[in-house]
């Protein structure tokens, strides 16, 4: 157990739908990062939050959004889902943005 | 288990051999490098890191070598075990503090 908790582990939904993925960072970690991992794209950075505020944005689609709450957990919202959004979505956390971070075990999203 | 990549470079070794996984990075301004291991169905797991002011760092059974001249990073695993079978990613960090991950190398250890 890495200390980073992601729920749900698996999610199957239809095209056009909206889903929310949840992440609880390791105790004491203020930064949360979201990554998408697909078979042909590898690990792609989506967005980072630090202590409730957006800190950096990567290749995140406009259909996707995220937030970090006062208790530091984070949610990634994916809307108007397309088949190509099927992927593993990882959350990671760190106490210091200059160090490496700890990943959760991911949410496997399948859009049918 | 889940596959994280169908077209990854693959390294096959026999149990007990030493493994060397290579990574070329792109940003000459990167000053922090990390190796991650990802087993099937799990998230990437931190193995070892190195800063740009070093050219070698050793951990337990693992050594990372950094050659800044040619922007090359390698991970050496001594006495490779079946439990080392996984996809290995290198990541580089520059001023943005957001690591950029390589595509990964699949290590297969044969008993």
């Amino acid at each position: 157990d890495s200390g980073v908790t992601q729920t749900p582990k698996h999610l199957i939904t239809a095209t056009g739908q909206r889903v929310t993925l949840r992440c609880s960072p390791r105790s004491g970690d203020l930064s949360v990062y979201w990554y998408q991992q697909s078979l042909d794209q590898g690990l792609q950075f989506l967005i980072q939050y630090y202590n409730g505020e957006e800190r950096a944005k990567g290749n995140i689609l406009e259909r996707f959004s995220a937030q970090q709450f006062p208790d530091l957990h984070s949610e990634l919202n994916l809307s108007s889902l397309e088949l190509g959004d099927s992927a593993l979505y990882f959350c990671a956390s760190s106490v210091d943005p200059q160090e490496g971070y700890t990943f959760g075990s991911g949410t496997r999203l399948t859009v049918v | 288990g889940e596959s994280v990549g169908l077209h990854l470079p693959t390294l096959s070794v026999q149990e007990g051999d030493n493994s060397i996984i290579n990574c070329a990075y792109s940003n000459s301004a990167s000053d922090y490098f990390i190796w991650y291991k990802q087993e099937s169905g799990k998230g990437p797991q931190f193995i070892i890191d190195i800063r740009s002011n070093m050219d070698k760092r050793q951990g337990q059974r693992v050594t990372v070598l950094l050659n800044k001249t040619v922007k090359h990073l390698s991970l050496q695993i001594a006495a490779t075990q079946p439990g080392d079978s996984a996809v290995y990613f290198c990541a580089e960090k520059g001023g943005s503090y957001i690591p950029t991950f390589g595509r990964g190398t699949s290590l297969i250890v044969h008993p």
Side-chain angles (χ1 to χ4, degrees), chain B residues 1 3 12 15 20 22 29 34 36 39-40 46-50 54 59 65 69-70 93 97 99 104 107-109:
Chain B
S3 171
S12 290
E15 181 178 1
I20 300 176
N22 296 304
I34 317 155
Y36 286 91
E39 297 175 270
S40 183
F46 173 92
I47 302 173
I48 192 168
D49 58 3
I50 189 168
M54 303 171 69
L65 299 178
T69 303
V70 295
K93 262 191 185 184
Y97 303 125
L107 176 65
I108 300 171
V109 183

Side-chain angles (χ1 to χ4, degrees), chain A residues 24-74:
Chain A
S24 294
R26 277 188 325 176
S27 177
D29 287 358
L30 299 179
S31 280
V32 168
Y33 307 78
W34 285 97
Y35 279 81
Q36 180 192 57
Q37 186 177 45
S38 56
L39 289 177
D40 58 348
Q41 292 293 325
L43 271 165
Q44 298 290 314
F45 169 67
L46 295 178
I47 197 163
Q48 177 206 359
Y49 280 84
Y50 179 81
N51 203 21
E53 295 191 0
E54 183 183 304
R55 179 62 66 93
K57 246 181 177 177
N59 299 320
I60 188 166
L61 300 172
E62 286 190 10
R63 300 184 285 111
F64 297 179
S65 65
Q67 54 185 328
Q68 186 179 28
F69 295 87
D71 66 354
L72 301 178
H73 92 270
S74 179

